[in-house]
Amino acid sequence: MSLRIAIAAGGSVPIHRQIADQVCRALAAGRLREGDQLPSVRALAEELVVNPNTVARAYADLVRDGVLEAQPGKGVFASRRRAVYTKAERLRRIAEPLDALVNQALIVGMRPAEIEEALSERLRRLDPGAGGHRER
Amino acid sequence: MSLRIAIAAGGSVPIHRQIADQVCRALAAGRLREGDQLPSVRALAEELVVNPNTVARAYADLVRDGVLEAQPGKGVFASRRRAVYTKAERLRRIAEPLDALVNQALIVGMRPAEIEEALSERLRRLDPGAGGHRER
Amino acid sequence: MSLRIAIAAGGSVPIHRQIADQVCRALAAGRLREGDQLPSVRALAEELVVNPNTVARAYADLVRDGVLEAQPGKGVFASRRRAVYTKAERLRRIAEPLDALVNQALIVGMRPAEIEEALSERLRRLDPGAGGHRER
Amino acid sequence: MSLRIAIAAGGSVPIHRQIADQVCRALAAGRLREGDQLPSVRALAEELVVNPNTVARAYADLVRDGVLEAQPGKGVFASRRRAVYTKAERLRRIAEPLDALVNQALIVGMRPAEIEEALSERLRRLDPGAGGHRER
DNA sequence: GTGGTCTAGACCACT
DNA sequence: GTGGTCTAGACCACC
């Protein structure tokens, strides 16, 4: 399965958010294309060893945001209308997590160069490979 | 003394975290210097229209991280000696917000180089001159 | 599972600190092992006849120090990977209780050798034959 | 004056406790002998740049414990009846700070050998000469 | 006046 | 059910 979703149970990020994020990333990386059908709620829940409610919640959030489309009786599909942001809009949308990162880094005493290095290292480990978080 | 702390009530970020973050930013920006006294728990609580407990928690968290020092009966002060972690521990402590940033950036369609540029720009705006020299 | 936590109400040590300390001791003594689930906040609060907030604070402090891990909706668990400080930071973090011990020992008339012996004896009683650190 | 009291303002130990502790240590080290007169509350307060109330509190606590004796109109003197503890009693009296030290050390990840080394180092930096007049 | 602790009770998000 | 947050109000120790 090309979704390659990994759940990090130890962290503080809600599981439904992790699923939603990684679906979006699969979409952005091209592993999931417009119109593709996603695994059923129950199938994905079983694969991830997670409560079906949690998967349903993730799908519902994405449908609400227009990322996915639900066709009752058929399944859930990647939406055909993908949002495209201007550069300014992209920057605005990452402003909050960016601030959070910088703040936390300053608290633990990191210098700017070290923060940039940490980001580079993190991006290097991305690839089309599995989703970011370590597994437990 | 104006720390210019603003609370975003609607957001999902806890109030005590918002306070702590903005104290750190004031420290990093030089608006708050080592040894400076912070507003009292009660005063800041009244100014922000927030429960004193919430401010106390923000302060307590920063004291635990070595950013502030509390002298009961006197007040709370910006610490001189910042806590020192090993590099591995520093990385561990920013892993979560770093992942959050990368996730969000990928979702909105940013490429690695653009993410790094956004971070650099953010850091440049933060740094008042790297060593105590402000105002150029 | 019995953590055998006992609260000394009359003393000057805060309750949340007593709880945190005894969780650490259970961890060091092997009564609590990595990955084990701890009693829920509400359950432990009821058992100790203490406000849930107080237990929550003890748990939260240990989570911040990397001793425990909290999974909202699931429970609190003993962490696998302990926080790592530099040696200097470790010394800084025990400086205060170390001074308190030496002060008290000198007050009651103990000589250095006797203090060291008391510590050795205390450590021996703590570590039941685990002739070293535990590794994963 | 041979009391050589030093106040650490940054720590969490109350100032009156610091004063009382160091009077006891001066007594244990022989720098202060039975029957000696102590500096007046106001004199010591001025010397330490501390509120007189704080010094008075320290003296009062020591009088209550029988370490000092107050002679109204004359001053405060080191008590002639110094308590002598059996070894078991000494151990009992340091049990609490000893536990606090061990707990904190375990939290920050120190191994037994490292804790003992830290104590030795701390003791080495002490005033030598219990019962003598040796000054540093 | 200051910070620190504890209680009580409420609400939220997650599973 | 779980943990997390916030409010309200009280009490304490310290300076």
Side-chain angles (χ1 to χ4, degrees):
Chain A
M1 167 56 57
S2 61
L3 279 182
R4 294 177 155 281
I5 290 182
I7 299 299
S12 71
V13 190
I15 294 181
H16 71 87
R17 194 81 164 76
Q18 295 184 41
I19 297 173
D21 284 350
Q22 299 191 50
V23 168
C24 285
R25 282 175 53 175
L27 211 48
R31 292 199 306 275
L32 189 65
R33 325 202 84 171
E34 309 178 355
D36 283 354
Q37 180 169 7
L38 280 84
S40 77
V41 168
R42 276 182 299 191
L44 185 54
E46 189 170 352
E47 182 188 333
L48 300 180
V49 197
V50 169
N51 194 305
N53 287 333
T54 306
V55 177
R57 163 84 185 266
Y59 279 6
D61 286 351
L62 293 173
V63 167
R64 177 177 42 73
D65 285 346
V67 177
L68 301 183
E69 284 176 0
Q71 299 184 17
K74 291 196 174 175
V76 176
F77 300 83
S79 174
R80 295 210 137 73
R81 316 173 287 103
R82 282 189 52 196
V84 172
Y85 301 108
T86 66
K87 178 166 181 178
E89 181 70 4
R90 286 198 294 269
L91 288 178
R92 203 185 60 77
R93 295 220 164 213
I94 65 161
E96 186 178 308
L98 183 55
D99 274 4
L101 169 65
V102 171
N103 275 323
Q104 181 65 18
L106 290 176
I107 288 179
V108 304
M110 294 179 79
R111 313 182 101 270
E114 193 180 2
I115 306 177
E116 292 179 322
E117 183 197 332
L119 174 62
S120 296
E121 167 61 26
R122 181 67 186 75
L123 291 173
R124 212 171 299 132
R125 242 180 307 178
L126 262 181
D127 305 347
H133 252 293
R134 296 181 294 277
E135 315 179 23
R136 47 178 286 168
Chain B
M1 179 52 52
S2 153
L3 282 181
R4 312 210 303 107
I5 290 183
I7 299 300
S12 70
V13 190
I15 297 178
H16 67 87
R17 198 74 168 80
Q18 295 184 40
I19 297 173
D21 282 349
Q22 299 192 48
V23 168
C24 285
R25 247 196 273 182
L27 211 48
R31 291 202 308 277
L32 192 64
R33 318 201 120 194
E34 307 182 349
D36 282 356
Q37 179 167 7
L38 282 85
S40 80
V41 169
R42 289 164 175 85
L44 186 54
E46 188 171 353
E47 181 188 334
L48 301 179
V49 197
V50 166
N51 191 293
N53 279 331
T54 305
V55 177
R57 166 147 185 207
Y59 280 3
D61 286 350
L62 293 175
V63 167
R64 232 172 272 119
D65 279 341
V67 177
L68 300 181
E69 283 178 9
Q71 300 181 29
K74 286 270 186 76
V76 175
F77 302 82
S79 175
R80 304 186 163 62
R81 310 174 310 155
R82 300 288 287 273
V84 175
Y85 300 101
T86 62
K87 179 166 184 177
E89 179 67 8
R90 286 198 295 269
L91 290 177
R92 189 185 79 86
R93 297 220 166 206
I94 64 159
E96 201 169 284
L98 182 55
D99 272 4
L101 169 65
V102 172
N103 268 321
Q104 182 66 17
L106 291 176
I107 288 173
V108 302
M110 295 178 79
R111 314 187 105 264
E114 194 181 358
I115 306 176
E116 291 179 322
E117 185 197 330
L119 174 62
S120 296
E121 167 59 25
R122 180 69 184 77
L123 291 173
R124 214 173 300 128
R125 200 154 29 99
L126 185 75
D127 199 78
H133 300 67
R134 14 178 354 202
E135 302 290 56
R136 26 168 154 230
Chain C
M1 108 165 29
S2 153
L3 283 182
R4 313 209 303 108
I5 290 183
I7 299 299
S12 70
V13 190
I15 297 179
H16 67 87
R17 198 76 170 79
Q18 295 185 39
I19 296 173
D21 282 349
Q22 298 192 49
V23 167
C24 284
R25 246 197 273 181
L27 209 49
R31 292 203 306 277
L32 192 63
R33 319 203 119 193
E34 307 182 352
D36 283 355
Q37 180 167 7
L38 281 85
S40 82
V41 169
R42 290 164 174 84
L44 185 54
E46 188 171 354
E47 181 187 333
L48 301 180
V49 196
V50 166
N51 191 293
N53 279 333
T54 305
V55 176
R57 166 148 186 206
Y59 279 4
D61 286 350
L62 294 175
V63 167
R64 236 172 266 119
D65 279 342
V67 177
L68 301 182
E69 282 178 10
Q71 298 181 27
K74 286 271 186 77
V76 175
F77 302 82
S79 175
R80 306 191 158 61
R81 311 190 317 177
R82 300 286 289 274
V84 175
Y85 300 102
T86 62
K87 179 165 184 178
E89 180 66 9
R90 286 198 295 269
L91 290 178
R92 191 185 78 85
R93 297 221 166 206
I94 65 158
E96 200 169 285
L98 183 55
D99 271 4
L101 169 65
V102 171
N103 267 321
Q104 182 65 16
L106 290 177
I107 289 173
V108 302
M110 294 178 79
R111 313 185 108 265
E114 193 180 0
I115 306 175
E116 291 181 320
E117 185 196 330
L119 173 62
S120 296
E121 166 60 25
R122 181 69 184 76
L123 291 172
R124 213 173 300 129
R125 197 152 32 99
L126 185 75
D127 194 73
H133 51 274
R134 49 165 71 94
E135 252 174 84
R136 246 216 64 86
Chain D
M1 168 54 61
S2 61
L3 279 182
R4 296 176 156 279
I5 290 182
I7 300 299
S12 72
V13 192
I15 295 181
H16 71 86
R17 195 79 165 78
Q18 295 185 41
I19 296 173
D21 284 349
Q22 299 192 48
V23 168
C24 285
R25 281 175 54 175
L27 211 50
R31 291 199 309 275
L32 189 66
R33 323 203 85 173
E34 309 178 357
D36 284 354
Q37 180 170 6
L38 279 85
S40 77
V41 168
R42 279 182 298 192
L44 186 55
E46 189 170 351
E47 181 188 334
L48 300 180
V49 197
V50 168
N51 192 305
N53 287 333
T54 307
V55 177
R57 163 82 187 267
Y59 279 5
D61 286 351
L62 292 173
V63 167
R64 178 176 42 71
D65 285 347
V67 177
L68 301 182
E69 284 175 1
Q71 300 183 17
K74 291 196 176 175
V76 176
F77 300 83
S79 173
R80 296 209 135 73
R81 315 174 286 101
R82 282 190 51 196
V84 173
Y85 302 107
T86 66
K87 177 166 183 178
E89 182 68 3
R90 286 197 294 268
L91 289 178
R92 200 184 64 75
R93 296 221 163 211
I94 65 161
E96 186 177 307
L98 183 55
D99 274 4
L101 169 66
V102 171
N103 276 323
Q104 182 64 17
L106 291 175
I107 288 177
V108 302
M110 294 179 78
R111 314 177 88 271
E114 195 180 0
I115 307 176
E116 292 179 322
E117 183 196 332
L119 174 63
S120 296
E121 169 61 25
R122 180 68 186 76
L123 291 173
R124 214 171 298 134
R125 239 180 304 182
L126 221 52
D127 287 346
H133 283 94
R134 169 96 190 271
E135 304 197 14
R136 201 149 63 124

